[in-house]
Coordinates of all heavy atoms in Angstrom, one line a residue:
M1 N -38.1 102.2 25.3 CA -38.4 103.0 24.2 C -38.8 104.4 24.9 O -39.4 104.6 25.9 CB -39.5 102.6 23.4 CG -39.1 101.5 22.4 SD -40.6 101.1 21.4 CE -40.8 99.5 22.2
R2 N -38.5 105.5 24.1 CA -39.0 106.8 24.3 C -39.6 107.4 23.3 O -39.2 107.3 22.2 CB -37.7 107.5 24.8 CG -37.9 109.0 25.4 CD -36.6 109.6 25.8 NE -35.7 108.8 26.6 CZ -35.8 108.9 28.0 NH1 -36.6 109.7 28.6 NH2 -35.0 108.1 28.7
L3 N -40.7 108.1 23.5 CA -41.6 108.8 22.6 C -40.7 110.1 22.2 O -40.4 110.9 23.1 CB -42.9 109.1 23.2 CG -44.0 109.6 22.3 CD1 -44.3 108.6 21.4 CD2 -45.2 110.1 23.2
N4 N -40.6 110.4 20.9 CA -39.9 111.6 20.5 C -40.8 112.7 20.3 O -42.0 112.5 20.6 CB -39.0 111.4 19.2 CG -39.8 111.2 18.0 OD1 -40.9 111.6 17.9 ND2 -39.1 110.7 16.9
S5 N -40.3 113.9 20.1 CA -41.2 115.1 20.0 C -42.2 115.1 18.9 O -43.2 115.8 18.9 CB -40.3 116.3 19.7 OG -39.6 116.2 18.5
K6 N -42.0 114.1 17.9 CA -43.0 114.0 16.9 C -44.0 113.0 17.2 O -44.8 112.5 16.3 CB -42.2 113.6 15.5 CG -41.5 114.7 14.9 CD -40.9 114.2 13.6 CE -40.0 115.4 13.0 NZ -39.5 115.0 11.7
G7 N -43.9 112.3 18.3 CA -44.8 111.3 18.7 C -44.4 109.9 18.2 O -45.3 109.0 18.1
Q8 N -43.2 109.8 17.8 CA -42.8 108.5 17.1 C -42.0 107.6 18.1 O -41.3 108.1 19.1 CB -41.8 108.7 16.0 CG -42.5 109.6 14.9 CD -41.5 110.2 13.9 OE1 -40.3 110.5 14.2 NE2 -42.0 110.3 12.7
V9 N -42.1 106.3 17.9 CA -41.2 105.3 18.6 C -40.6 104.5 17.6 O -41.1 104.3 16.6 CB -42.1 104.5 19.6 CG1 -42.6 105.4 20.7 CG2 -43.2 103.8 19.0
T10 N -39.5 103.8 18.1 CA -38.8 102.9 17.1 C -39.2 101.4 17.7 O -39.1 101.1 18.9 CB -37.3 103.0 17.3 OG1 -37.0 104.3 16.8 CG2 -36.6 102.0 16.4
I11 N -39.6 100.6 16.7 CA -40.0 99.2 17.1 C -38.6 98.5 17.1 O -38.0 98.6 16.1 CB -41.0 98.6 16.1 CG1 -42.3 99.4 16.0 CG2 -41.2 97.1 16.4 CD1 -43.1 98.9 14.8
P12 N -38.3 97.8 18.2 CA -37.1 97.1 18.2 C -36.8 96.2 17.0 O -37.7 95.4 16.6 CB -37.1 96.5 19.6 CG -38.1 97.2 20.3 CD -39.0 97.6 19.5
A13 N -35.6 96.1 16.5 CA -35.2 95.3 15.4 C -35.7 93.8 15.5 O -36.1 93.2 14.6 CB -33.8 95.4 15.0
E14 N -35.5 93.3 16.7 CA -35.7 91.8 17.0 C -37.3 91.6 16.8 O -37.6 90.6 16.1 CB -35.4 91.5 18.4 CG -35.9 90.0 18.8 CD -35.7 89.7 20.3 OE1 -34.9 90.5 21.0 OE2 -36.4 88.9 20.8
L15 N -38.1 92.5 17.2 CA -39.5 92.3 17.1 C -39.9 92.5 15.6 O -40.7 91.8 15.0 CB -40.3 93.3 17.9 CG -40.2 93.1 19.4 CD1 -40.9 94.3 20.2 CD2 -41.0 91.8 19.7
R16 N -39.3 93.5 14.9 CA -39.6 93.8 13.5 C -39.3 92.5 12.7 O -40.1 92.0 11.9 CB -38.9 95.0 13.0 CG -39.4 96.3 13.5 CD -38.8 97.5 12.7 NE -37.3 97.3 12.4 CZ -36.4 97.8 13.1 NH1 -36.7 98.5 14.2 NH2 -35.2 97.7 12.7
H17 N -38.1 91.9 13.0 CA -37.7 90.7 12.2 C -38.5 89.5 12.5 O -38.9 88.8 11.6 CB -36.2 90.5 12.5 CG -35.3 91.5 12.1 ND1 -35.2 91.9 10.7 CD2 -34.4 92.3 12.7 CE1 -34.3 93.0 10.6 NE2 -33.7 93.2 11.9
R18 N -38.7 89.3 13.8 CA -39.5 88.2 14.2 C -40.9 88.2 13.6 O -41.6 87.2 13.2 CB -39.6 88.1 15.7 CG -40.4 86.8 16.2 CD -40.1 86.4 17.7 NE -39.7 87.5 18.5 CZ -40.4 88.0 19.5 NH1 -41.6 87.5 19.8 NH2 -40.1 89.0 20.3
L19 N -41.6 89.4 13.5 CA -43.0 89.6 13.0 C -43.0 89.8 11.6 O -44.1 90.0 11.0 CB -43.7 90.6 13.9 CG -43.8 90.3 15.4 CD1 -44.3 91.5 16.2 CD2 -44.6 89.1 15.6
G20 N -41.9 90.0 10.9 CA -41.9 90.2 9.5 C -42.2 91.5 9.0 O -42.5 91.7 7.8
F21 N -42.0 92.6 9.8 CA -42.2 93.9 9.4 C -41.0 94.5 8.7 O -39.8 94.1 9.1 CB -42.5 94.9 10.5 CG -43.9 94.7 11.1 CD1 -44.1 93.8 12.2 CD2 -44.9 95.5 10.6 CE1 -45.3 93.7 12.7 CE2 -46.2 95.3 11.1 CZ -46.4 94.5 12.2
V22 N -41.1 95.1 7.5 CA -40.0 95.6 6.7 C -40.1 97.1 6.4 O -41.3 97.6 6.5 CB -39.7 94.8 5.4 CG1 -39.4 93.4 5.8 CG2 -40.9 94.9 4.5
T23 N -39.1 97.8 6.1 CA -39.2 99.2 5.6 C -40.2 99.4 4.7 O -40.3 98.7 3.6 CB -37.9 99.7 5.1 OG1 -36.8 99.5 6.2 CG2 -37.8 101.0 4.8
G24 N -41.0 100.4 4.8 CA -42.1 100.7 3.9 C -43.5 100.0 4.2 O -44.5 100.4 3.6
D25 N -43.5 99.1 5.2 CA -44.7 98.4 5.5 C -45.7 99.6 6.1 O -45.2 100.4 6.8 CB -44.7 97.4 6.6 CG -44.2 96.0 6.1 OD1 -44.1 96.0 4.8 OD2 -43.8 95.1 6.8
E26 N -47.0 99.5 5.8 CA -48.0 100.4 6.5 C -48.5 99.7 7.6 O -48.8 98.5 7.6 CB -49.1 100.8 5.5 CG -48.5 101.6 4.3 CD -49.7 102.3 3.5 OE1 -50.8 102.4 4.0 OE2 -49.4 102.6 2.4
V27 N -48.7 100.5 8.7 CA -49.2 99.9 10.0 C -50.3 100.8 10.5 O -50.4 102.0 10.1 CB -48.2 99.8 11.0 CG1 -47.1 98.9 10.7 CG2 -47.6 101.1 11.4
D28 N -51.2 100.3 11.3 CA -52.2 101.0 12.0 C -51.9 100.9 13.4 O -51.4 99.9 14.0 CB -53.7 100.4 11.7 CG -54.2 100.7 10.3 OD1 -53.9 101.7 9.8 OD2 -54.8 99.8 9.8
V29 N -52.1 102.1 14.2 CA -52.1 102.0 15.6 C -53.5 102.1 16.1 O -54.3 103.0 15.8 CB -51.2 103.3 16.1 CG1 -51.2 103.3 17.7 CG2 -49.9 103.3 15.4
I30 N -53.9 101.1 16.9 CA -55.2 101.0 17.4 C -55.3 101.0 18.9 O -54.5 100.5 19.6 CB -55.7 99.6 17.0 CG1 -55.8 99.4 15.4 CG2 -57.3 99.4 17.6 CD1 -56.1 98.1 14.9
D31 N -56.3 101.9 19.4 CA -56.5 102.0 20.8 C -57.4 100.9 21.2 O -58.5 100.7 20.8 CB -57.2 103.3 21.2 CG -57.6 103.5 22.6 OD1 -57.3 102.5 23.4 OD2 -58.1 104.6 23.0
D32 N -56.8 99.9 22.0 CA -57.5 98.7 22.5 C -57.8 98.8 23.9 O -57.1 98.2 24.7 CB -56.8 97.4 22.1 CG -57.5 96.2 22.1 OD1 -58.6 96.3 22.6 OD2 -56.9 95.1 21.9
G33 N -58.7 99.7 24.3 CA -59.1 99.8 25.7 C -57.9 100.4 26.5 O -57.6 100.0 27.6
G34 N -57.3 101.4 26.0 CA -56.2 102.1 26.7 C -54.8 101.5 26.4 O -53.8 102.0 26.8
V35 N -54.8 100.4 25.6 CA -53.5 99.9 25.1 C -53.4 100.0 23.7 O -54.3 99.9 22.9 CB -53.5 98.3 25.4 CG1 -52.2 97.6 24.9 CG2 -53.7 98.1 26.9
L36 N -52.2 100.6 23.2 CA -52.0 100.8 21.8 C -51.4 99.5 21.1 O -50.5 98.9 21.7 CB -51.0 101.9 21.6 CG -51.5 103.3 22.0 CD1 -50.5 104.3 21.8 CD2 -52.8 103.7 21.4
R37 N -52.0 99.1 20.1 CA -51.5 98.0 19.3 C -51.2 98.4 17.9 O -51.8 99.3 17.3 CB -52.6 97.0 19.1 CG -53.2 96.3 20.5 CD -54.1 95.1 20.3 NE -55.2 95.4 19.3 CZ -55.4 94.6 18.2 NH1 -54.9 93.4 18.1 NH2 -56.5 94.9 17.5
I38 N -49.9 97.9 17.5 CA -49.5 98.3 16.2 C -49.7 97.0 15.4 O -49.2 96.0 15.6 CB -47.9 98.6 16.3 CG1 -47.6 99.9 17.1 CG2 -47.3 98.9 14.8 CD1 -46.2 100.1 17.4
V39 N -50.4 97.2 14.4 CA -50.9 96.1 13.5 C -50.7 96.4 12.0 O -50.6 97.5 11.6 CB -52.3 95.6 13.7 CG1 -52.6 95.3 15.1 CG2 -53.3 96.8 13.2
R40 N -50.4 95.3 11.1 CA -50.3 95.6 9.7 C -51.6 96.3 9.2 O -52.7 95.9 9.6 CB -50.1 94.2 9.0 CG -48.9 93.7 9.2 CD -48.8 92.4 8.4 NE -47.8 91.5 8.9 CZ -46.4 91.8 8.8 NH1 -46.1 92.8 8.1 NH2 -45.5 91.0 9.3
A41 N -51.4 97.3 8.4 CA -52.5 98.0 7.8 C -53.2 97.0 6.9 O -52.7 96.3 6.1 CB -52.0 99.2 7.0
Q42 N -54.6 97.0 7.0 CA -55.4 96.2 6.2 C -55.8 96.9 4.9 O -55.6 98.2 4.9 CB -56.7 95.7 7.0 CG -56.4 94.9 8.2 CD -57.7 94.7 8.8 OE1 -58.7 95.1 8.6 NE2 -57.5 93.9 9.9
D43 N -56.1 96.3 4.0 CA -56.5 97.0 2.7 C -57.9 97.6 2.8 O -58.9 97.1 2.5 CB -56.6 96.1 1.5 CG -55.2 95.5 1.2 OD1 -54.3 96.3 1.3 OD2 -55.1 94.4 0.6
L44 N -57.9 98.8 3.6 CA -59.1 99.5 3.8 C -59.1 100.9 3.0 O -58.1 101.4 2.6 CB -59.2 99.9 5.3 CG -59.1 98.8 6.4 CD1 -59.1 99.4 7.7 CD2 -60.3 97.9 6.2
T45 N -60.3 101.3 2.7 CA -60.4 102.6 2.0 C -60.1 103.7 3.0 O -60.0 103.5 4.2 CB -61.8 102.9 1.5 OG1 -62.7 103.1 2.6 CG2 -62.3 101.8 0.6
R46 N -59.8 104.8 2.4 CA -59.4 106.0 3.3 C -60.5 106.2 4.3 O -60.3 106.5 5.5 CB -59.2 107.2 2.4 CG -58.8 108.4 3.1 CD -58.3 109.5 2.1 NE -58.1 110.7 2.7 CZ -58.2 111.8 2.1 NH1 -58.6 112.0 0.9 NH2 -58.0 113.0 2.9
G47 N -61.8 106.2 3.8 CA -62.9 106.5 4.7 C -63.1 105.4 5.8 O -63.3 105.7 7.0
E48 N -62.7 104.1 5.5 CA -62.9 103.0 6.6 C -61.7 103.2 7.5 O -62.0 103.0 8.7 CB -62.7 101.7 5.9 CG -63.9 101.3 5.0 CD -63.6 100.0 4.1 OE1 -62.4 99.8 3.7 OE2 -64.5 99.3 4.0
R49 N -60.6 103.7 7.1 CA -59.5 104.0 8.1 C -59.9 105.1 9.0 O -59.7 105.0 10.2 CB -58.2 104.3 7.3 CG -57.4 103.0 6.9 CD -56.0 103.3 6.5 NE -56.0 104.2 5.4 CZ -56.0 103.9 4.1 NH1 -56.1 102.8 3.7 NH2 -55.9 104.9 3.2
A50 N -60.6 106.1 8.5 CA -60.9 107.3 9.3 C -61.9 106.9 10.3 O -61.9 107.3 11.4 CB -61.5 108.4 8.4
V51 N -62.9 106.0 9.9 CA -64.0 105.7 10.8 C -63.3 104.8 11.9 O -63.7 104.9 13.1 CB -65.0 104.8 10.0 CG1 -66.0 104.1 11.0 CG2 -65.9 105.7 9.1
R52 N -62.5 103.9 11.6 CA -61.7 103.1 12.6 C -61.0 104.0 13.6 O -61.0 103.7 14.8 CB -60.8 102.1 11.8 CG -60.2 101.2 12.8 CD -59.3 100.1 12.2 NE -60.2 99.1 11.6 CZ -60.0 98.0 11.1 NH1 -58.7 97.7 10.9 NH2 -60.9 97.1 10.6
R53 N -60.4 105.1 13.1 CA -59.6 105.9 14.0 C -60.5 106.6 15.1 O -60.2 106.8 16.2 CB -58.9 107.1 13.2 CG -57.5 106.6 12.7 CD -56.7 107.7 12.4 NE -57.4 108.6 11.3 CZ -57.3 108.4 10.1 NH1 -56.7 107.4 9.6 NH2 -57.9 109.3 9.2
V54 N -61.8 107.0 14.6 CA -62.6 107.8 15.5 C -63.7 107.0 16.1 O -64.4 107.5 17.1 CB -63.4 108.9 14.7 CG1 -62.3 109.9 14.2 CG2 -64.2 108.5 13.6
R55 N -63.8 105.6 15.8 CA -64.7 104.8 16.5 C -64.7 104.9 18.0 O -63.5 104.7 18.5 CB -64.7 103.5 15.9 CG -65.7 102.5 16.5 CD -65.7 101.2 15.9 NE -66.3 101.3 14.6 CZ -66.0 100.6 13.5 NH1 -64.9 99.8 13.6 NH2 -66.5 100.8 12.3
G56 N -65.7 105.1 18.7 CA -65.7 105.0 20.2 C -65.3 106.3 20.8 O -65.4 106.5 22.0
I57 N -64.9 107.4 20.2 CA -64.5 108.6 20.6 C -65.7 109.3 21.4 O -65.6 109.8 22.5 CB -64.0 109.6 19.7 CG1 -62.5 109.1 19.2 CG2 -63.8 111.1 20.2 CD1 -61.9 109.9 18.1
L58 N -66.9 109.3 20.7 CA -68.0 109.9 21.4 C -68.8 109.2 22.5 O -69.5 109.7 23.3 CB -69.1 110.2 20.3 CG -68.6 111.3 19.3 CD1 -69.7 111.3 18.2 CD2 -68.4 112.6 19.9
G59 N -68.4 107.9 22.7 CA -69.0 107.0 23.8 C -70.3 106.4 23.3 O -70.7 106.7 22.2
D60 N -70.8 105.6 24.2 CA -72.0 104.9 23.9 C -73.2 105.7 24.3 O -73.1 106.7 25.2 CB -72.0 103.5 24.6 CG -70.9 102.6 24.2 OD1 -70.6 102.7 22.9 OD2 -70.4 101.8 25.0
G61 N -74.3 105.4 23.8 CA -75.5 105.9 24.2 C -76.0 107.3 23.5 O -77.1 107.8 23.8
L62 N -75.2 107.7 22.5 CA -75.7 108.9 21.7 C -76.4 108.4 20.5 O -76.1 107.5 19.9 CB -74.5 109.8 21.4 CG -73.7 110.5 22.4 CD1 -72.5 111.1 21.8 CD2 -74.5 111.4 23.2
S63 N -77.6 109.1 20.4 CA -78.3 108.8 19.1 C -77.7 109.4 17.9 O -76.8 110.3 18.0 CB -79.8 109.4 19.3 OG -79.7 110.8 19.1
T64 N -78.0 109.0 16.7 CA -77.6 109.5 15.5 C -77.8 111.0 15.5 O -76.9 111.8 15.1 CB -78.1 108.9 14.3 OG1 -77.8 107.4 14.4 CG2 -77.5 109.5 13.0
A65 N -78.9 111.5 15.8 CA -79.3 112.9 15.9 C -78.4 113.7 16.9 O -77.9 114.8 16.4 CB -80.7 113.1 16.2
E66 N -78.1 113.2 18.0 CA -77.2 113.7 18.9 C -75.7 113.9 18.4 O -75.1 114.9 18.6 CB -77.2 113.0 20.2 CG -78.5 113.1 21.0 CD -78.5 112.2 22.2 OE1 -78.0 111.0 22.0 OE2 -79.1 112.6 23.3
V67 N -75.3 112.9 17.7 CA -73.9 112.9 17.1 C -74.0 114.0 16.0 O -73.0 114.7 15.9 CB -73.6 111.5 16.5 CG1 -72.3 111.5 15.7 CG2 -73.4 110.5 17.7
M68 N -74.9 114.0 15.1 CA -75.1 115.1 14.2 C -75.0 116.4 14.7 O -74.3 117.3 14.2 CB -76.2 114.8 13.2 CG -76.2 113.5 12.4 SD -74.6 113.3 11.4 CE -74.9 114.5 10.3
D69 N -75.8 116.6 15.8 CA -75.8 117.9 16.4 C -74.4 118.3 16.9 O -73.9 119.5 16.8 CB -76.8 117.8 17.6 CG -78.2 117.8 17.2 OD1 -78.5 118.2 16.0 OD2 -79.1 117.6 18.1
L70 N -73.7 117.3 17.5 CA -72.3 117.6 17.8 C -71.4 118.0 16.6 O -70.6 118.9 16.8 CB -71.7 116.4 18.7 CG -72.3 116.1 20.1 CD1 -71.8 114.8 20.6 CD2 -71.8 117.2 20.9
T71 N -71.5 117.4 15.6 CA -70.6 117.5 14.4 C -71.0 118.9 13.9 O -70.2 119.6 13.3 CB -70.8 116.4 13.4 OG1 -72.1 116.3 12.9 CG2 -70.2 115.2 14.0
R72 N -72.2 119.3 14.0 CA -72.7 120.6 13.4 C -72.4 121.8 14.3 O -72.7 122.9 14.1 CB -74.1 120.6 13.1 CG -74.4 119.6 11.9 CD -76.0 119.7 11.7 NE -76.3 118.7 10.6 CZ -77.2 117.7 10.8 NH1 -77.8 117.6 12.0 NH2 -77.4 116.9 9.9
G73 N -72.0 121.4 15.5 CA -71.8 122.5 16.5 C -73.1 123.0 17.1 O -73.1 124.1 17.7
E74 N -74.1 122.3 17.2 CA -75.4 122.7 17.6 C -75.6 122.3 19.1 O -75.0 121.4 19.6 CB -76.6 122.0 16.9 CG -76.5 122.5 15.4 CD -77.6 121.8 14.6 OE1 -78.5 121.0 15.1 OE2 -77.6 122.1 13.4

């Protein structure tokens, strides 16, 4: 597979058929320790999906106050 200029890849037909993915299915791409996993989208709210996308970006060990300072640009 090759990543195109839009950051897209094509899931091979054999895998789509075997795993039951069809046109229009929603999927999530998850960073699993440096490995990308494509999984069926769960029935999550928009906020839950956003939190899942950014979880772990700031790293461990920051307090809530430190995170808030970062988000405020302080």
Side-chain angles (χ1 to χ4, degrees):
M1 278 181 255
R2 190 176 304 266
L3 191 67
N4 73 17
S5 62
K6 292 182 179 182
Q8 299 168 326
V9 295
T10 299
I11 301 170
E14 176 190 337
L15 290 174
R16 291 193 317 265
H17 296 303
R18 184 166 22 113
L19 298 172
F21 286 94
V22 296
T23 301
D25 281 354
E26 291 194 24
V27 299
D28 288 324
V29 178
I30 299 171
D31 177 356
D32 189 5
V35 174
L36 295 180
R37 292 188 317 129
I38 300 171
V39 299
R40 288 184 199 288
Q42 298 175 354
D43 292 330
L44 302 176
T45 66
R46 186 172 168 207
E48 288 169 328
R49 283 194 299 275
V51 168
R52 184 173 282 188
R53 273 196 306 274
V54 299
R55 182 175 283 144
I57 289 176
L58 294 175
D60 295 327
L62 294 176
S63 69
T64 302
E66 291 168 322
V67 171
M68 294 307 294
D69 288 345
L70 288 171
T71 60
R72 293 182 185 122
E74 298 177 3

